[in-house]
């Protein structure tokens, strides 16, 4: 055996580290190694590492390095060393060395040489101990490095060909062995390898990967995705029953993985391999859509969490598949299946919960088409079912791969597309085209729409063995369209649906209809008006509420947001929102009782109400064919009405600030303790100015008794003044935040919900010298609150009066006041 001590001593002799002599020396020493064990493994590892460095250096500076590498057949030496190795560390280094060589060699001839003998394939197929996770990681990186150099020339060096057909491709076969490994990083690397193979564009390789048994990879991929979908549904179901602090983050992680998988499938499809697109389409339909997702679209008689979660998960996954995987045949087959009654799938498949029984109520029976089920969710489902159904309809509408006749049959073909198609029909002389084009109820004809859908129904029957007569296809597209509009109008009349969901419905309605009321019947218009009036009445109540001083600024802000959302080319929310919003326990309702003592919950409710009101108001303008103004029709500030206290205070429009001087005319002396045992003497004033108001505690100036220095301020609105039941000289005041918590990202979670547990209202108890002074302070507060509320109401009148608002819709009148200068109460 070669003396390892001599070897190490020679290794560290003075020699240029990046010289050709060093490469010769290392190669020579490796050829002398007859066994690799614990004694000499460190030298072998260092030699392998150094050769990688030297070859990378030579590739950039001196071609003689690689010439020597080829002459001495160093790759063969690597293979020989691997066969001799009895330790794990040497294979690790060898895989890393070859990976570095493949990644860093830029000379094309060098890559051809590495790939042109069987040494690379030998390393690919070598029986490594993959129980060692580190070794597996190096191996997968090695495969990925090789795949990164694939092109139509190099791929031929890694396959075996018989005649014109590829009969062996170790790189691909060995990579997909680990496609469903439990470690995500391994799966990601394998996907990179496969995509590099698919995008080479070699016809013989494409035939190989789409032939038996290799084509099973694609069905296995969808089966793996099915398992992930089932796991996601279990997670959603568990969250419905036992929501926890980590529920949202856990669902987000699952969503990310699901969508990553779908984008991987999309990348496969984009490679354009003819048979692979069909294989993926068939697998998605037979493994996922028909047996799992469509049968889960059920209407339950009660709030069965299993069925509820199955509905939510199915709606989300349908959106993802349609949005991400761009296959025309797949999209149209899914859409065509929505015309089937649910029993066509439930009688053969069970969905997410096969043991469940299809529950029926007044809007559900086994003959309902799945399209009808989606509309039933819109009109009678809970908040998340509505949002999920709207997301599916919006996704279908946005899916470019769908035939327009399919959209028209579903009742969701945008009218501008209808007009375009009818115009083309008229131009080519089709008799019905011109008549339909100028009809307010224009739509594609039943014959053209139904025949196109029938083609896909025949495919579903012949290829997948599912057949059932659909009554929906027999309807004219106009009837189907009317059903969708009717469902949306009824949605806007529901008081238990969140603003987020209603905005989604508003976006869909705007896509379907032109800027006119031509497709609304009188009943629709009446329903919308009644819903608007109810909401407007609720908004008037907010004028007297805790956050009246913020009502106009929130309204103007939400108006702009709603306008942008309605005019956007994409729906307001991503489909994953159906899994992330609170469900089903949180339901927004204008009739909900607000928990007493929590101004923060009231503020959130006020924002919800404003969002709904803004949507309904914009829909009113929309039905009349009016363009939406940039701002709501709200009266500007103008000349403020005379307010005696505001005038005598000496304040400007910015209001009182700590440390500024203020008049104490009409101020009432009082005492307050911000800390136990530490009482302060102040003069109290309540002041309103425009749509703002403050409670002010000022310290009297010794030199000028009629003036004082502002020490503490708090919002006037929402102070809820109350004289103590037992002490007639004590006045209790609620001190809410000077800003809306949901407008502050630090006080809200990722989905806009207030972290109410961390926010608590403050309290002041003012002690006055006698009962008369206490009553005087109470009267002053009530009077100033009324002045503030009246001013807010005055400015809102043009908006609340629908006829006036319509007349003013072309003028931007909204002027908001900056409330950033309002000061939170501070302890002294």
């Amino acid at each position: 055996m070669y003396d390892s001590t001599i070897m190490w001593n020679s290794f560290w002799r003075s020699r240029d580290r990046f010289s050709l002599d060093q490469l010769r020396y290392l190669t020579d020493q490796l050829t002398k190694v007859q066994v690799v064990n614990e004694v000499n493994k460190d030298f072998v590892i260092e030699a392998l590492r150094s050769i990688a460095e030297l070859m990378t250096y030579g590739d950039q500076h001196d071609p003689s390095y690689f010439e020597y590498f080829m002459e001495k057949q160093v790759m063969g030496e690597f293979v020989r060393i691997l066969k001799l190795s009895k330790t794990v560390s040497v294979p690790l280094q060898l895989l890393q060395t070859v990976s570095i060589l493949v990644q860093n060699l830029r000379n094309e001839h060098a890559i051809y040489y590495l790939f042109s003998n069987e040494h690379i394939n030998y390393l690919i197929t070598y029986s490594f101990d993959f129980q060692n996770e580190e070794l597996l990681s190096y191996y997968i990186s090695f495969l990925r490095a090789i795949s990164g150099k694939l092109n139509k020339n190099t791929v031929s060096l890694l396959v075996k060909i018989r005649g014109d057909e590829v009969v062996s491709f170790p790189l691909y076969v060995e990579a997909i062995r680990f496609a469903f490994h439990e470690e995500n990083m391994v799966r990601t690397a394998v996907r990179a390898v496969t995509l590099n193979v698919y995008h080479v564009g070699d016809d013989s390789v494409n035939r190989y990967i789409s032939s038996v048994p290799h084509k099973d990879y694609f069905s296995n991929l969808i089966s793996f995705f099915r398992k992930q979908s089932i796991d996601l549904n279990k997670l959603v179901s568990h969250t419905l029953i036992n929501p926890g602090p980590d529920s949202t983050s856990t669902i987000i992680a699952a969503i990310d993985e699901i969508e990553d998988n779908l984008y991987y499938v999309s990348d496969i499809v984009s490679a354009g391999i003819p048979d692979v697109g069909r294989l993926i389409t068939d697998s998605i339909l037979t493994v996922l859509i028909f047996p799992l997702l469509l049968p889960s679209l059920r209407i339950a008689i009660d709030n069965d969490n299993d069925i509820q979660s199955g509905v939510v998960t199915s709606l989300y996954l349908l959106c993802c598949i349609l949005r991400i995987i761009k296959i025309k045949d797949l999209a149209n087959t899914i859409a065509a299946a929505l015309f089937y009654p649910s029993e066509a799938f439930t009688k053969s498949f069970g969905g997410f919960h096969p043991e469940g029984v299809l529950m029926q109520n007044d809007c559900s029976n086994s003959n309902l088409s799945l399209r009808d089920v989606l509309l039933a969710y819109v009109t009678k489902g809970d908040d998340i079912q509505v949002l999920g159904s709207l997301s599916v309809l919006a996704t279908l509408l946005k899916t470019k791969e769908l035939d327009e006749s399919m959209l028209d049959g579903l009742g969701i073909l945008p009218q501008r597309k209808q007009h375009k198609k009818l115009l083309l029909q008229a131009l080519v002389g089709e008799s019905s085209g011109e008549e339909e084009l100028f009809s307010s109820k224009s739509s594609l004809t039943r014959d053209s729409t139904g025949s196109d859908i029938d083609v896909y129904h025949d495919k579903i029957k012949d290829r997948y063995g599912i057949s059932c007569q659909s009554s929906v296809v027999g309807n004219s597209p106009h009837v189907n369209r009317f059903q969708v509009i009717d469902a949306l109008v009824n949605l806007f009349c529901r008081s238990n649906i969140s603003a987020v969901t209603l905005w989604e419905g508003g976006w869909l309605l705007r896509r379907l209809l032109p800027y006119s009321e031509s497709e609304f019947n009188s009943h629709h218009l009446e329903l919308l008006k009644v819903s608007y009036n109810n909401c407007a009445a609720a908004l008037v109540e907010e004028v007297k509420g805790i956050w009246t001083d913020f009502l106009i600024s929130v309204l103007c802000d939400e108006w702009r947001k709603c306008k942008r959302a309605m005019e956007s080319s994409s729906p307001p929310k991503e489909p994953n929102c159906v899994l992330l919003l609170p469900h089903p326990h949180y339901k927004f309702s204008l009739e909900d009782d607000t928990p007493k003592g929590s101004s923060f919950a009231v503020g959130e409710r006020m924002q919800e109400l404003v969002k709904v009101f803004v949507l309904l108001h914009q829909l009113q303008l929309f039905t009349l064919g009016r363009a939406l103004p940039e701002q709501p029709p709200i009266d500007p500030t103008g000349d403020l009405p005379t307010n005696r206290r505001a005038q005598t205070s000496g304040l400007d429009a910015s209001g009182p600030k700590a440390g500024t001087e203020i008049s104490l005319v009409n101020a009432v002396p009082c005492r307050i303790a911000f800390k136990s045992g530490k009482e302060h003497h102040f003069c109290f004033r309540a002041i309103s100015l425009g749509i703002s108001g403050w409670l002010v505690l000022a310290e009297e100036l010794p030199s000028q008794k009629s003036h004082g220095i502002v020490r503490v301020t708090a919002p006037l609105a929402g102070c809820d003044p109350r004289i103590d039941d037992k002490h007639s000289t004590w006045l209790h005041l609620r001190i809410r935040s000077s800003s809306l918590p949901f407008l502050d990202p630090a006080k809200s979670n990722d989905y806009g919900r207030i972290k109410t547990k961390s926010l608590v209202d403050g309290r002041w108890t003012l002690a006055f010298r006698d009962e008369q002074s206490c009553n005087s302070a109470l009267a002053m507060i009530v009077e100033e609150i009324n002045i503030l509320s009246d001013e807010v109401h005055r400015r809102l009148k043009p908006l609340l009066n629908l006829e006036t608002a319509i007349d003013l819709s072309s003028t931007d009148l909204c002027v908001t006041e900056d409330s950033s200068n309002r000061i939170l109460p501070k302890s002294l």
Side-chain angles (χ1 to χ4, degrees):
M1 182 186 302
Y2 189 76
D3 192 329
S4 62
T5 303
I6 297 174
M7 184 183 299
W8 269 111
N9 290 338
S10 301
F11 187 85
W12 293 111
R13 285 175 187 166
S14 178
R15 189 184 295 108
D16 184 354
R17 181 182 173 190
F18 291 107
S19 67
L20 185 56
D21 285 343
Q22 179 71 353
L23 178 61
R24 290 192 183 102
Y25 170 75
L26 292 174
T27 304
D28 181 60
Q29 294 302 312
L30 279 182
T31 60
K32 296 176 181 179
V33 174
Q34 299 303 312
V35 65
V36 180
N37 53 29
E38 292 297 324
V39 176
N40 65 351
K41 69 173 185 178
D42 290 338
F43 166 78
V44 173
I45 290 170
E46 185 60 27
L48 291 171
R49 188 193 64 78
S50 298
I51 288 174
E53 286 185 348
L54 284 162
M55 294 306 301
T56 301
Y57 174 84
D59 184 66
Q60 300 174 17
H61 298 90
D62 188 349
S64 62
Y65 282 61
F66 200 79
E67 291 171 5
Y68 180 82
F69 187 88
M70 290 189 293
E71 178 188 341
K72 295 300 181 180
Q73 298 185 14
V74 178
M75 280 297 295
E77 282 301 313
F78 288 171
V79 170
R80 188 181 68 84
I81 291 295
L82 178 63
K83 293 176 180 178
L84 294 174
S85 177
K86 304 297 182 185
T87 65
V88 172
S89 54
V90 171
L92 278 173
Q93 183 58 57
L94 192 145
L95 286 171
Q96 186 181 44
T97 294
V98 178
S99 296
I100 291 171
L101 285 174
V102 172
Q103 285 177 314
N104 292 295
L105 292 180
R106 295 180 296 185
N107 186 294
E108 258 186 67
H109 297 296
I111 294 298
Y112 291 161
Y113 171 78
L114 288 180
F115 288 6
S116 63
N117 54 56
E118 282 298 303
H119 296 315
I120 290 291
N121 275 342
Y122 180 85
L123 293 176
I124 290 173
T125 57
Y126 185 80
S127 297
F128 291 103
D129 179 13
F130 292 128
Q131 296 299 315
N132 184 302
E133 292 182 3
E134 187 179 13
L135 183 59
L136 175 60
S137 177
Y138 275 72
Y139 176 77
I140 295 297
S141 296
F142 164 65
L143 298 184
R144 187 170 186 171
I146 295 170
S147 72
K149 297 293 183 178
L150 290 180
N151 56 46
K152 287 190 176 182
N153 295 320
T154 57
V155 73
S156 62
L157 304 173
L158 296 174
V159 300
K160 289 184 179 179
I161 297 177
R162 186 176 302 142
D164 292 328
E165 298 300 319
V166 173
V167 295
S168 175
F169 191 2
L171 174 65
Y172 181 75
V173 171
E174 294 301 319
I176 62 175
R177 282 179 54 201
F178 301 97
F180 310 112
H181 192 273
E182 61 184 11
E183 186 64 42
N184 185 53
M185 291 182 66
V186 173
R187 297 198 303 271
T188 301
V190 169
R191 290 174 186 177
V193 173
T194 57
L195 289 175
N196 286 335
V197 170
Y198 302 147
H199 283 274
V200 167
D202 184 274
D203 292 339
S204 60
V205 170
N206 290 346
R207 289 194 297 273
Y208 176 81
I209 63 178
S210 56
S211 64
V212 178
H214 312 296
K215 69 176 185 179
D216 291 344
Y217 171 64
F218 301 107
S219 59
N220 292 338
L221 181 63
I222 304 305
S223 295
F224 179 73
F225 183 79
R226 174 192 168 100
K227 180 182 180 302
Q228 288 185 312
S229 301
I230 292 172
D231 290 342
L232 174 65
N233 184 67
K234 290 178 180 177
L235 181 60
V236 172
S237 181
H238 176 76
T239 301
L240 292 179
I241 300 170
N242 299 305
D246 299 326
S247 296
T248 297
S249 59
T250 305
I251 290 177
I252 288 174
I255 287 173
D256 288 344
E257 191 164 354
I258 288 249
E259 295 190 5
D260 283 347
N261 286 336
L262 286 176
Y263 279 113
Y264 170 57
V265 174
S266 176
D267 289 340
I268 294 174
V269 172
S270 69
I273 303 172
D275 292 335
V276 169
R278 180 183 56 77
L279 288 171
I280 288 176
T281 295
D282 287 347
S283 295
I284 290 176
L285 291 171
T286 59
V287 175
L288 197 63
I289 300 294
F290 294 153
L292 191 66
L293 302 190
L294 296 186
S296 296
L297 299 181
R298 305 173 180 180
I299 300 176
I301 228 172
D302 53 18
N303 290 326
D304 185 301
N305 281 316
D306 285 343
I307 293 180
Q308 293 278 31
S309 65
V311 169
V312 171
T313 307
S314 294
L315 293 171
Y316 161 71
L317 290 172
L318 283 171
C319 289
C320 283
I321 291 168
L322 289 166
R323 184 168 55 96
I324 295 173
I325 301 178
K326 307 296 185 181
I327 302 178
K328 179 180 176 66
D329 195 45
L330 174 64
N332 282 282
T333 303
I334 292 174
L338 296 178
F339 294 102
Y340 280 45
S342 54
E343 69 169 2
F345 303 98
T346 55
K347 67 183 180 183
S348 303
F349 311 105
F352 280 113
H353 302 284
E355 71 284 356
V357 178
L358 182 66
M359 307 299 291
Q360 299 180 7
N361 60 14
D362 61 333
C363 65
S364 161
N365 63 65
S366 60
N367 291 321
L368 274 181
S369 72
L370 291 172
R371 173 187 172 277
D372 291 336
V373 171
L374 292 178
L375 295 182
Y377 290 153
V378 173
T379 56
K380 299 192 176 183
D382 61 40
D383 195 43
I384 297 301
Q385 288 175 341
V386 176
L387 182 58
S389 182
L390 292 173
S391 294
V392 169
L393 294 173
T395 302
L396 287 164
L397 186 149
K398 292 280 293 179
T399 301
K400 295 179 180 179
E401 291 72 28
L402 271 184
D403 293 338
E404 289 189 355
S405 56
M406 196 71 70
L407 288 174
D408 209 28
L410 290 167
I412 56 173
L413 180 66
Q415 190 155 66
R416 59 183 178 80
K417 289 188 176 182
Q418 287 185 340
H419 285 173
K420 180 180 177 181
K421 190 156 188 173
L422 291 170
L423 178 60
L424 290 175
Q425 289 178 351
L427 289 174
V428 297
E430 294 184 18
S431 58
S432 63
E434 186 173 354
E435 295 174 7
E436 293 284 337
L437 179 61
F438 297 104
S439 168
S440 64
K441 299 181 179 180
S442 62
S443 189
L444 303 185
T445 63
R446 157 68 190 103
D447 290 342
S448 63
T449 299
S451 60
D452 290 341
I453 297 172
D454 289 342
V455 169
Y456 282 97
H457 283 174
D458 290 340
K459 282 187 180 180
I460 293 174
K461 178 181 178 181
D462 297 340
R463 187 180 297 178
Y464 308 111
I466 300 172
S467 62
C468 198
Q469 182 62 38
S470 171
S471 58
V472 179
V473 180
N475 295 336
S476 74
H478 175 70
V479 171
N480 293 335
R481 182 182 181 80
F482 178 84
Q483 291 171 347
V484 175
I485 294 172
D486 189 67
L488 291 174
V489 170
N490 279 278
L491 169 64
F492 300 132
C493 299
R494 299 183 61 185
S495 61
N496 62 336
I497 301 298
S498 69
V500 166
T501 301
L502 292 175
W503 280 25
E504 196 83 7
W507 181 90
L508 183 60
L509 186 66
R510 288 289 300 270
R511 302 283 79 71
L512 296 181
L513 295 181
Y515 288 90
S516 73
E517 61 180 351
S518 59
E519 292 205 33
F520 291 110
N521 60 26
S522 58
H523 180 60
H524 289 157
L525 294 173
E526 181 62 26
L527 286 176
L528 287 173
K529 191 167 185 177
V530 169
S531 182
Y532 170 80
N533 288 335
N534 290 339
C535 195
L539 190 69
V540 170
E541 291 300 312
E542 289 297 326
V543 169
K544 306 169 188 174
I546 294 175
W547 296 95
T548 183
D549 50 341
F550 275 86
L551 184 57
I552 289 178
S553 61
V554 170
L555 204 152
C556 290
D557 185 52
E558 294 300 337
W559 181 280
R560 290 189 294 269
K561 290 178 181 177
C562 187
K563 183 177 186 295
R564 285 198 302 269
M566 295 305 104
E567 295 176 350
S568 171
S569 60
S570 300
K573 290 294 181 182
E574 291 290 321
N576 60 22
C577 274
V578 301
L579 302 180
L580 298 175
L581 290 179
H583 170 76
H585 309 291
Y586 170 75
K587 290 186 178 180
F588 169 70
S589 173
L590 300 182
E591 292 81 29
D592 281 349
D593 291 327
T594 303
K596 290 185 178 180
S598 171
S599 67
F600 308 103
V602 177
E604 190 176 38
R605 176 187 174 278
M606 183 266 284
Q607 184 200 31
E608 278 282 304
L609 174 62
V610 168
K611 289 170 79 76
V612 175
F613 172 81
V614 162
L615 172 68
L616 293 176
H617 195 289
Q618 292 189 7
L619 286 176
Q620 289 291 324
L621 296 179
F622 168 65
T623 61
L624 297 175
R626 302 296 182 94
L628 295 179
E630 292 298 324
Q631 298 282 3
I634 292 175
D635 265 353
T637 304
D639 294 328
L640 296 176
T642 301
N643 181 339
R644 181 171 50 84
R645 291 192 184 91
Q647 285 182 329
T648 59
S649 67
L651 296 175
D652 58 23
S654 64
K657 294 182 175 62
T660 59
E661 188 174 314
I662 188 173
S663 170
L664 298 183
V665 175
N666 298 319
V668 184
C670 67
R671 306 185 313 277
I672 185 172
F674 292 107
K675 293 181 180 179
S676 178
K678 192 174 182 180
E679 194 172 70
H680 297 271
H681 291 261
F682 290 119
C683 292
F684 171 77
R685 289 199 65 171
I687 304 170
S688 66
L689 191 61
I691 58 172
S692 301
W694 304 269
L695 305 173
V696 180
L697 296 178
E699 191 173 19
E700 188 178 70
L701 286 173
S703 60
Q704 193 177 4
K705 299 292 186 181
S706 62
H707 286 75
I709 300 297
V710 175
R711 296 304 183 192
V712 187
T713 65
L716 172 66
C719 66
D720 189 24
R722 180 179 59 84
I723 295 176
D724 190 86
D725 294 336
K726 297 181 179 179
H727 302 85
S728 59
T729 60
W730 290 7
L731 181 62
H732 298 292
L733 300 172
R734 172 174 53 196
I735 307 301
R736 43 141 259 231
S737 170
S738 61
S739 63
L740 278 165
F742 55 76
L743 298 180
D744 182 356
K747 295 179 181 178
S748 301
N749 62 23
D750 293 338
Y751 299 94
R753 306 299 298 165
I754 299 174
K755 301 173 183 176
T756 52
K757 292 184 179 179
S758 63
L759 300 172
V760 180
D761 290 327
R763 297 285 171 181
W764 285 0
T765 298
L766 303 180
F768 296 91
R769 60 190 174 193
D770 53 41
E771 186 175 334
Q772 182 180 356
S773 297
C774 188
N775 287 329
S776 176
L778 174 62
M780 176 172 27
I781 293 171
V782 171
E783 183 180 350
E784 293 299 316
I785 288 176
N786 288 336
I787 292 172
L788 169 60
S789 299
D790 289 346
E791 175 60 15
V792 172
H793 193 203
R794 181 188 73 80
R795 297 195 194 180
L796 288 178
K797 277 184 179 179
L799 180 69
L800 295 170
N801 185 324
L802 189 58
E803 285 73 20
T804 304
I806 292 170
D807 292 338
L808 296 174
S809 63
S810 60
T811 306
D812 295 346
L813 297 175
C814 180
V815 176
T816 60
E817 296 182 2
D818 182 15
S819 59
S820 61
N821 57 359
R822 299 172 186 169
I823 302 169
L824 279 167
K826 301 176 182 177
S827 299
L828 297 183

